[in-house]
Amino acid sequence: MTSSSTDTPAPVLVLVPGAAGAPADGSDPFHIADATAPQLSITDLVVTRGDGIFETIGAFDGTPINVGPHLARLARSASLLGLPAPDQEAIAAAVDASIEAHADVPELTIRVMYTRGIEGNGVPTCWIDAHVSDDWAPYRAGIRVATLDRGLATTVFEESPWLLQGAKTLSYAVNMAAVREAKSRGAQDALFVATDGYVLEGPTSTLLVRRGDAYLTTPVSAGVLPGTCVGSLFEALQKEGHEAREQLMSVEDVATSDGAWLLSSTRLAAPITHLDDVELPVDPELTAHFEAILTGRV
Amino acid sequence: MTSSSTDTPAPVLVLVPGAAGAPADGSDPFHIADATAPQLSITDLVVTRGDGIFETIGAFDGTPINVGPHLARLARSASLLGLPAPDQEAIAAAVDASIEAHADVPELTIRVMYTRGIEGNGVPTCWIDAHVSDDWAPYRAGIRVATLDRGLATTVFEESPWLLQGAKTLSYAVNMAAVREAKSRGAQDALFVATDGYVLEGPTSTLLVRRGDAYLTTPVSAGVLPGTCVGSLFEALQKEGHEAREQLMSVEDVATSDGAWLLSSTRLAAPITHLDDVELPVDPELTAHFEAILTGRV
């Protein structure tokens, strides 16, 4: 008997007090907690300043994908923000524990959150929550994407590191506002464009472009996140004998390409059907191949 | 008898379920809660996305300053982020309740937080916390300020509203990183500069500049917050017969000025002693006059 009015399995929360080294009180590095109870202090700096970092990992049929690259990127974000280095081994074990404690489902979204901690403490707060993924089928079928000015140049990553471009921070209000703006334009997602005319990334995704036999993505040095999905795809494509590399691209380069996708660990490879008002070629077979790679099925 | 190891009075937390209209369950619009217990869900969008807004109000000898302008600015931020309009009357009453419940202290910092709420709910989460202000005496005595590129032009407020410039959001990781960068340069605070060369604001403060008999601040149309302190000061200065107005200023304009301050509701008017390596004139008597205005003593 259950009093729940829905069939969705309950989310799982794992608190990870040992995320930045063994807990001072000698307790376990992580433990399951009540996902429905309040768990965070109002003085945690993620709450008062959006001062934290995160990763979102997809798990398909119980297997989490790219855990190593995700946690390496978390460590990179920590370094960019001057946060203590995360204990990647402890966090990986906690990710496994979150999956084990969750009901078996085809697609699980696992968020790893790592904050600057409670004001004055200096100890990061870390937790992992695993929940059934949203139904991304309509999104994966193809998306209209609106280009939006990011207001920044591709040079800021090198010149102004305090702008935190390339760090996956929990200060994502601009990213959320960009998605709202894209939706108000009749699109499903946005593609940020730098002031020097180069395309960057989506608010929560990485750009992949095909031009002939070459597969291209925005260089990390332009201030975008190093995409874990594009990492997997490039490795697979290169093994297949294709050219796959970083390249600065204009909006026109994408609009005249042979196909473009927004990549994310939970939404996988969503083909862009329209970039603003320009229709792009789509290749369902290639997209299915990408999905197989990104879900670990090949 | 108390088990506390410190003499600092306990902070006060007021939860405000009625911040965006009367609570659906008919409960009170606000109530005192335990400030030391976890109070927030890990699925609140302020936690997962930094998706929320805030105001920080100073109270001096029990009197909160500029509550009306602060809550008007909260409403402006809500509008810029597409959040439900806050009930300013309910929140003002909750601010009063937080002061009443707090021990009498000379200086109180009152944070009003207003988030997009728990994922899927659509109801903002709002709380107010009142705590004894940090000791700002050294900061108020004079600060070294480092200029830092904000990476954005003064035109983005008009042209790219999704960048949320001019909204006081809880996505402040960049602001915090800028303060860390300034400190690494031996300064106490930062002054953001736009890519078109104009000075903007501090990461958590408003710029005030004196040139001869004119008092100047950055125009709100350049994408800075409308400062509540500069509002009070301009009103007082204009009554005294001075010129006080918005004006775009270069770094050189500030460096060659007759004095400059960073203004905030809790730190008040901190004179800038050095802008990068340039020493600025300071006027302790004028600063004291500003403090008297900003604490409601004149």
Side-chain angles (χ1 to χ4, degrees):
Chain A
M1 285 274 293
T2 168
S3 62
S4 171
S5 61
T6 162
D7 290 335
T8 306
V12 168
L13 172 62
V14 182
L15 303 181
V16 194
D25 62 2
S27 60
D28 290 339
F30 60 85
H31 60 270
I32 307 271
D34 183 354
T36 64
Q39 295 284 1
L40 287 176
S41 164
I42 56 143
T43 60
D44 197 292
L45 286 156
V46 76
V47 173
T48 56
R49 298 294 188 188
D51 204 353
I53 55 179
F54 75 109
E55 286 293 323
T56 304
I57 300 171
F60 299 87
D61 295 326
T63 303
I65 305 295
N66 276 337
V67 174
H70 276 292
L71 297 187
R73 189 169 67 179
L74 188 78
R76 179 180 183 270
S77 295
S79 167
L80 289 169
L81 266 77
L83 287 164
D87 181 338
Q88 298 182 48
E89 207 175 317
I91 297 174
V95 167
D96 288 342
S98 77
I99 298 170
E100 208 168 300
H102 197 283
D104 289 342
V105 295
E107 298 193 15
L108 206 52
T109 297
I110 301 160
R111 286 190 293 214
V112 179
M113 319 294 270
Y114 189 85
T115 86
R116 203 174 294 277
I118 289 175
E119 283 170 12
N121 266 15
V123 179
T125 305
C126 177
W127 71 93
I128 288 162
D129 75 292
H131 57 269
V132 177
S133 299
D134 291 341
D135 176 14
W136 292 117
Y139 186 96
R140 288 173 186 159
I143 49 175
R144 284 179 170 265
V145 169
T147 58
L148 289 181
D149 179 18
R150 184 61 190 81
L152 299 166
T154 54
T155 50
V156 296
F157 177 71
E158 297 286 348
E159 291 170 4
S160 308
W162 52 88
L163 298 177
L164 302 181
Q165 290 306 292
K168 198 167 170 75
T169 80
L170 287 163
S171 281
Y172 255 34
V174 166
N175 305 51
M176 298 298 101
V179 174
R180 286 194 299 276
E181 173 69 21
K183 290 185 175 171
S184 79
R185 298 183 185 191
Q188 281 81 51
D189 213 331
L191 175 63
F192 282 131
V193 182
T195 49
D196 39 9
Y198 297 113
V199 292
L200 293 168
E201 62 192 346
T204 59
S205 58
T206 305
L207 177 67
L208 174 69
V209 173
R210 182 166 87 83
R211 289 184 70 85
D213 191 47
Y215 294 87
L216 308 168
T217 194
T218 308
V220 169
S221 60
V224 300
L225 295 184
T228 56
C229 290
V230 86
S232 298
L233 287 181
F234 273 18
E235 199 186 319
L237 288 164
Q238 284 163 352
K239 274 188 194 155
E240 293 169 9
H242 299 287
E243 191 184 342
R245 58 182 167 77
E246 293 187 333
Q247 183 172 302
L248 282 173
M249 292 172 278
S250 67
V251 173
E252 184 67 12
D253 290 335
V254 183
T256 59
S257 71
D258 297 305
W261 295 260
L262 289 185
L263 307 177
S264 105
S265 296
T266 53
R267 283 161 296 162
L268 305 174
I272 301 176
T273 64
H274 297 76
L275 187 68
D276 297 325
D277 290 330
V278 179
E279 197 169 348
L280 295 191
V282 294
D283 182 340
E285 209 167 310
L286 185 57
T287 299
H289 180 54
F290 288 168
E291 271 199 14
I293 295 168
L294 294 175
T295 55
R297 294 200 308 273
V298 294
Chain B
M1 285 274 293
T2 168
S3 64
S4 171
S5 61
T6 162
D7 290 337
T8 306
V12 168
L13 172 62
V14 182
L15 302 181
V16 195
D25 63 2
S27 61
D28 289 339
F30 60 86
H31 59 272
I32 307 272
D34 182 354
T36 64
Q39 295 285 0
L40 286 176
S41 165
I42 55 143
T43 59
D44 197 293
L45 285 156
V46 76
V47 173
T48 56
R49 299 295 190 186
D51 204 354
I53 54 178
F54 75 109
E55 286 293 322
T56 303
I57 301 171
F60 298 87
D61 296 325
T63 302
I65 304 296
N66 278 335
V67 175
H70 276 291
L71 297 187
R73 189 169 68 180
L74 188 78
R76 177 179 184 271
S77 295
S79 167
L80 289 169
L81 266 78
L83 288 164
D87 181 338
Q88 297 182 51
E89 206 174 318
I91 297 175
V95 167
D96 288 343
S98 76
I99 299 170
E100 208 167 300
H102 198 284
D104 290 342
V105 295
E107 297 193 15
L108 207 52
T109 296
I110 300 160
R111 286 190 292 213
V112 179
M113 318 295 268
Y114 189 85
T115 88
R116 203 174 295 276
I118 288 175
E119 284 170 9
N121 265 15
V123 180
T125 305
C126 176
W127 72 91
I128 288 161
D129 76 290
H131 58 269
V132 176
S133 299
D134 291 340
D135 176 14
W136 292 117
Y139 187 97
R140 287 173 187 158
I143 49 175
R144 284 179 171 265
V145 169
T147 57
L148 289 181
D149 178 19
R150 184 60 188 82
L152 300 165
T154 54
T155 50
V156 298
F157 177 72
E158 297 286 347
E159 291 171 4
S160 307
W162 52 87
L163 298 177
L164 303 180
Q165 291 304 293
K168 197 169 171 74
T169 80
L170 287 163
S171 281
Y172 254 34
V174 167
N175 305 52
M176 297 299 100
V179 174
R180 285 195 298 276
E181 174 69 22
K183 289 184 175 172
S184 79
R185 299 185 183 190
Q188 282 80 52
D189 213 332
L191 175 63
F192 282 131
V193 182
T195 50
D196 40 8
Y198 297 113
V199 293
L200 294 167
E201 61 193 344
T204 59
S205 58
T206 305
L207 177 67
L208 175 69
V209 172
R210 182 166 86 82
R211 289 185 69 86
D213 192 47
Y215 294 87
L216 308 168
T217 194
T218 308
V220 169
S221 61
V224 300
L225 295 183
T228 55
C229 290
V230 85
S232 298
L233 286 182
F234 273 18
E235 197 186 321
L237 288 164
Q238 285 163 351
K239 274 188 192 155
E240 292 169 9
H242 299 287
E243 191 184 341
R245 58 181 168 79
E246 292 187 334
Q247 183 174 302
L248 283 174
M249 292 172 278
S250 66
V251 173
E252 184 67 12
D253 289 337
V254 182
T256 59
S257 72
D258 298 305
W261 296 259
L262 289 185
L263 307 176
S264 105
S265 295
T266 53
R267 284 161 296 163
L268 305 173
I272 300 177
T273 63
H274 296 78
L275 187 68
D276 298 323
D277 289 331
V278 178
E279 195 168 348
L280 295 190
V282 294
D283 182 339
E285 208 167 312
L286 185 55
T287 299
H289 180 53
F290 288 168
E291 273 199 13
I293 294 166
L294 294 176
T295 55
R297 294 200 309 272
V298 292

